[in-house]
Amino acid sequence: MLFYRAALDLSPATRAFVAELIAGHRDRIGSRWRALKPGRQALLVLVHLRCNETFARLAAAFGVGLATAHRYVTEVIALLAERAPDLREAMRIAARKAYVILDGTLASIDRLSGAGDRLYYSGKHHRHGVNIQFLTDPHGRLIWASPVLPGSTQDLTAARVHGIIDALTSRAIACHADKGYVGAGGAIGTPYKRRKRRRLGKRKKLFNRHHAQIRALGEQGAATLKSWRILRKARCSPSRLTAIVQAILTLHHHAN
C-alpha cells in the first residue's frame, strides 16, 4: 500500500473528500461493517481511476475479494458522478468568462464484439472509443464534460445532441471551436475553411491564426481528463464511462 501512496499524484485533500462522501453514504444507508474503512475505500477508487488499475490487482493489493473491489468502485463513482456540474451549472460558470472553448476528445476502449464494434470505431482517430465533449475557460481550465457517445459520433453532432450549441447561444456566451464544428452557427465561432480552388485572403488567414492560438489552450481540457489514466484505455463497458467522466469532473472541480 505504500507504493500507491507514493505513486498517486493526488492531494490528501482529494482522498479526504472522497472518504467523507463514503462515510456520509454509509451513515445514510446504515452500513455497520465494511472490509475497508472509508479512507481505504477512497484510496482504492482513486487508484482505479487515476492509474487504471484492474479490479484483480486492486483486490489483491487491498486484501478484498474481486466482487468487493468492483462494488466499492461502482458505489463511489456513482456518489461522485451525481455531484458533477450539469450543463445548466456549466453555463452559469461560462457566463462569467470572457469566452469559452469547445472541443471533443476520444477516450479509447477495447474493441467490442458484434454490432457495437463499428459504432464505437472512430474513423478520425482510427481506434475504438467514446466521444467526450468539453468546455474550458480562456485559460484552458476544464469547466464541464459531457456524457459519452459512441466514437463514430462527429463532434458537431455530439455538441448538438448534448444541447451545447443552443445553451451557449441562448445565453450569448462567445465560444471558440475548431473546424469540426463548422456549420454550428449561433455563438460558436469557427475558423474559415478553404474552398475548392480558392485560397483564403490575408484577413481570413490572420483570423485563423489568432483563432488557433485561442483554441490551443482548450486542449488542456483533454489533457486534464486524460490525466486520469482510465480514460486513456478503458477496459470497462462503454456504458460505464459516462459515470466515470462525471466522477472525474467532480474530483477536478473539488481540487480546483
Side-chain angles (χ1 to χ4, degrees), residues 171-187:
R171 292 166 179 80
I173 300 171
C175 177
H176 296 269
D178 64 23
K179 291 180 180 179
Y181 299 88
V182 169

Side-chain angles (χ1 to χ4, degrees), residues 23 30 52 58 64 76-77 107 141 157 168 180 192 208 214 219 234 244:
N52 199 17
L58 287 173
V64 296
V76 176
I77 286 175
R141 293 186 290 254
T157 301
L168 291 168
Y192 290 101
N208 280 2
I214 293 173
E219 295 175 2
I244 288 172

Side-chain angles (χ1 to χ4, degrees), residues 89-100 135 143 168 173:
E89 293 175 80
M91 291 301 103
R92 286 198 289 266
I93 298 172
R96 300 195 295 268
K97 310 296 181 180
Y99 59 85
V100 294
L135 291 170
I143 295 174
L168 291 168
I173 300 171

Side-chain angles (χ1 to χ4, degrees), residues 38-86:
R40 296 280 286 171
Q41 183 178 354
L43 183 60
L44 182 150
V45 175
L46 291 172
V47 167
H48 175 66
L49 295 175
R50 193 69 169 182
C51 304
N52 199 17
E53 199 66 276
T54 65
F55 287 114
R57 293 187 63 177
L58 287 173
F62 285 82
V64 296
L66 185 62
T68 299
H70 189 281
R71 185 172 65 254
Y72 278 0
V73 168
T74 302
E75 177 182 57
V76 176
I77 286 175
L79 291 174
L80 290 167
E82 67 184 15
R83 287 165 173 77
D86 60 17

Side-chain angles (χ1 to χ4, degrees), residues 23-34:
H25 174 68
R26 291 183 182 184
D27 287 342
R28 286 193 300 274
I29 65 174
S31 180
R32 296 183 179 180
W33 183 89
R34 293 286 187 99

Side-chain angles (χ1 to χ4, degrees), residues 1-12 15 43 46-53 57 62 227-229 232:
M1 289 316 307
L2 291 176
F3 167 76
Y4 284 128
R5 288 174 183 167
L8 201 61
D9 56 340
L10 295 170
S11 69
R15 179 180 171 185
L43 183 60
L46 291 172
V47 167
H48 175 66
L49 295 175
R50 193 69 169 182
C51 304
N52 199 17
E53 199 66 276
R57 293 187 63 177
F62 285 82
S227 67
W228 298 85
R229 296 182 184 88
R232 296 183 190 177

Side-chain angles (χ1 to χ4, degrees), residues 12-23 42 80 83 247 250-251 254-255:
T14 298
R15 179 180 171 185
F17 166 66
V18 179
E20 288 174 8
L21 285 182
I22 294 169
L80 290 167
R83 287 165 173 77
T250 295
L251 291 169
H254 176 266

